[in-house]
């Protein structure tokens, strides 16, 4: 049996609330098994908006949304039983319009790669994770901060163990595996959609599923379907903790919205996993996997 008390997991996210909608039950699962689990949040969500109508008019939300989001993040981390670290960059916002406006000066997405990566490399060298979780090259969806988070996670995974790289940021540490989160896995949405219809219930997923199945004029599928699942972590016992973490982000998450449309019991019956793609690995492991730490021996000497 695996001794998880010697293992460490680092999830690198773009904004406060991303950790609760992507891989939250997995993190709570491993924390409960005894692993050290940390979330790194690259920005403070400073350019976010109030997305929950019930919070409209809330004095704290309207006067200091950034400050309130820090409190929300602390509550979410406590709900999951994980550690948390702010990386400290400025939210880039999600540009809208045609043509798209330029990104704000000094924002996270405009930082040179080495500048954006240095504090994450330092955290990797300090926390010494065996596994890193983050987004694919599309960011999970193409928000500029999510794409930059992917870039930073890849850089930290590949270079934190290089003693010549990033001088002054601590002793080298080489993580063993890096995974892309597949929170937007089309197969999951389709399974939940069909389960709702079989129960005679309305499904909120029809539009999303249609988007997954459409191609652009050149025949390309949507970017969210770019990678295949290699690893499924069964974690349905932690779905309630995930939902508590989501609810903690009350300025960002509508308690009557999409995340809560399907009961935890139905989700546990239909899709009791969270899905990942093993993007890079320095250890041998047999695919498909059911454990992010498969193949890792924490007693093996390393830098």
């Amino acid at each position: 049996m695996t001794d998880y008390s010697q293992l460490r997991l680092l999830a690198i996210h773009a904004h406060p609330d991303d950790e609760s909608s992507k891989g939250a039950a997995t993190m709570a699962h491993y924390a409960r098994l005894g692993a050290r689990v940390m979330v790194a949040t690259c920005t403070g969500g400073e350019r976010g908006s109030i997305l929950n109508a019930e919070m409209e008019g809330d004095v704290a939300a309207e006067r200091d949304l950034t400050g309130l989001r820090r409190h929300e993040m602390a509550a979410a981390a406590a709900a999951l039983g994980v550690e948390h670290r702010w990386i400290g960059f400025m939210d880039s916002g999600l540009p809208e319009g045609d043509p798209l406006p330029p990104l704000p000066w000094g924002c996270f997405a405009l930082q040179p790669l080495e500048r954006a990566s240095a504090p994450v490399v330092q955290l990797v060298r300090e926390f010494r994770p065996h596994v890193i979780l983050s987004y694919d090259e599309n960011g999970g969806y193409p928000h500029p901060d999510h794409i930059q988070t992917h870039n930073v996670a890849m850089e930290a995974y590949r270079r934190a163990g290089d003693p010549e790289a990033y001088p002054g940021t601590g002793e080298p540490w080489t993580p063993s595996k890096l995974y892309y989160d597949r929170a937007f896995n089309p197969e999951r949405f389709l399974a939940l959609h069909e389960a709702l219809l079989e129960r005679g219930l309305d499904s909120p997923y029809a539009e999303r599923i249609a988007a997954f199945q459409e191609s652009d004029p050149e025949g390309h599928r949507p970017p969210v379907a770019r990678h295949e699942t290699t690893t499924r972590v069964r974690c349905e016992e932690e779905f309630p903790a995930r939902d508590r973490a989501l609810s903690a982000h009350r300025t960002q998450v509508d308690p009557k919205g999409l995340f809560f449309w399907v009961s935890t019991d139905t989700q546990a019956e239909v899709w009791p996993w969270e899905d990942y793609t093993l993007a890079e690995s320095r250890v041998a492991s047999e695919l498909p996997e059911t454990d992010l730490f498969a193949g890792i021996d924490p007693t093996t000497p390393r830098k």
Side-chain angles (χ1 to χ4, degrees), residues 2 10 18 21 34 38 42 66 77-78 85-86 104 123 166 176 178 180 182 198 203 211 223 227 235-236 247 276 303:
T2 302
L10 175 65
D18 285 324
S21 59
M38 179 178 284
C42 291
T66 301
R85 188 74 58 86
W86 295 102
L123 177 59
Y166 294 91
S176 296
L178 181 141
Y180 297 152
R182 296 204 74 218
E198 288 171 2
S203 169
H227 299 285
C235 51
E236 73 272 28
S247 297
Y276 301 90
K303 293 181 180 179

Side-chain angles (χ1 to χ4, degrees), residues 118-186:
V120 179
V121 170
Q122 183 168 342
L123 177 59
V124 168
R125 289 173 170 177
E126 174 192 332
F127 183 63
R128 299 159 72 87
H130 300 90
V131 171
I132 292 177
L133 302 181
S134 198
Y135 317 135
D136 67 13
E137 63 275 17
N138 185 59
Y141 74 99
H143 188 299
D145 284 336
H146 284 238
I147 294 170
Q148 180 76 311
T149 297
H150 161 81
N151 296 336
V152 163
M154 299 302 296
E155 178 78 355
Y157 175 82
R158 291 169 177 169
R159 303 197 68 195
D162 180 354
E164 303 300 319
Y166 294 91
T169 60
E171 294 298 316
W173 173 259
T174 303
S176 296
K177 301 167 87 174
L178 181 141
Y179 289 90
Y180 297 152
D181 177 88
R182 296 204 74 218
F184 300 112
N185 181 1

Side-chain angles (χ1 to χ4, degrees), residues 9 11 19-20 22-33 35 37 80 82 131 133 179 181 231-239 241-242 272-276 290-293:
L9 172 66
E19 83 298 325
S20 295
K22 304 168 187 68
T26 296
M27 291 189 289
H29 168 74
Y30 284 116
R32 183 174 58 81
L33 291 176
V37 181
L80 298 175
V82 304
V131 171
L133 302 181
Y179 289 90
D181 177 88
T231 310
R232 282 181 172 167
V233 178
R234 185 152 191 167
C235 51
E236 73 272 28
E237 73 280 3
E238 300 300 340
F239 287 175
R242 175 206 60 195
W273 313 279
E274 288 184 333
D275 305 317
Y276 301 90
T290 58
D291 186 354
L292 299 179
F293 293 106

Side-chain angles (χ1 to χ4, degrees), residues 100-115:
L100 292 175
L103 294 175
W105 182 87
C107 69
F108 178 51
L110 292 182
Q111 299 298 315
L113 180 60
E114 288 200 359
R115 184 182 299 166

Side-chain angles (χ1 to χ4, degrees), residues 242-265:
R242 175 206 60 195
D243 287 355
R244 290 193 297 273
L246 279 165
S247 297
H249 292 286
R250 54 200 181 99
T251 63
Q252 305 300 300
V253 179
D254 181 353
K256 298 176 182 149
L258 189 67
F259 287 120
F260 302 103
W261 194 281
V262 183
S263 71
T264 54
D265 288 343

